[in-house]
Amino acid sequence: IHASFISSENHEAMINAVEFLKKKRFRNIVYITPPSEVASTIDIRVNGFTHGLLRHYKIATPQNILIIEGTPAQKKSTIVKHLKDYPNTEIIIVTSVQRHCVLSAVQELGLNIPRDIKLMFFDDELTPPERNALKPYILQQDGYQIGYLAAEALYNQLYGDMRPVTKLLPVTIIDTSLDHT
């Protein structure tokens, strides 16, 4: 199989995210993620996040990474426990898909987003009211470009150019608290 790989540059994105958060003066960051079996990019993101913590904060601890799995109720319970164990958590990095568990856990603890805890999401899958209320930072991947390049690689495979390609696209950090809509 001559497989191509088209993706965002997830390792660099997480290093850049940590650098961005350090410049915003956040000290207590947690990255909440499903286990690595869920997607090939998870280990890459975790490694990039850890690398970023070591580069910019000189330390990475169990406080910084939380792996969640199970039912939504189990995920929520794990998040609640983590936030109780580490009440100094200032910002949570999470995929938009996992946001409901995070929001539910934060609400159960009586915390307010963005006042008490700030969020950073991979991808903007929020409704406009959610985006306006949560004011998250967003690690935005270019889904259109990823799809275009994947289709191009497939087309080339079908019509004779069997060389596999690997393309990693940059991720943009968006600060929605700057939105004036």
Side-chain angles (χ1 to χ4, degrees), residues 4-8 141-156 165 167 169:
S4 295
F5 183 77
I6 314 295
S7 174
S8 293
Q141 302 178 90
D142 188 344
Y144 176 83
Q145 189 68 10
I146 291 171
Y148 178 85
L149 292 172
E152 179 182 65
L154 180 59
Y155 178 88
N156 289 340
V165 295
K167 297 204 178 183
L169 303 173

Side-chain angles (χ1 to χ4, degrees), residues 55-146:
R55 178 187 291 177
H56 297 289
Y57 290 93
K58 310 297 184 228
I59 189 167
T61 69
Q63 174 181 348
N64 300 118
I65 296 177
L66 177 63
I67 297 172
I68 58 172
E69 56 188 327
T71 66
Q74 291 168 322
K75 292 176 184 178
K76 174 187 166 188
S77 176
T78 303
I79 296 166
V80 166
K81 181 183 180 326
H82 188 84
L83 293 176
K84 282 182 178 178
D85 289 347
Y86 303 104
N88 59 343
T89 300
E90 297 172 294
I91 186 155
I92 297 170
I93 303 173
V94 66
T95 61
S96 291
V97 174
Q98 303 289 335
R99 75 182 178 278
H100 297 294
C101 296
V102 171
L103 295 174
S104 184
V106 169
Q107 182 180 16
E108 180 176 312
L109 293 169
L111 300 171
N112 177 277
I113 298 171
R115 186 187 66 227
D116 301 320
I117 292 183
K118 187 83 172 157
L119 299 176
M120 176 179 265
F121 291 119
F122 250 99
D123 293 325
D124 187 359
E125 298 174 9
L126 305 171
T127 65
E130 283 177 313
R131 186 177 172 149
N132 190 41
L134 301 175
K135 303 258 184 251
Y137 302 120
I138 297 171
L139 295 164
Q140 188 63 53
Q141 302 178 90
D142 188 344
Y144 176 83
Q145 189 68 10
I146 291 171

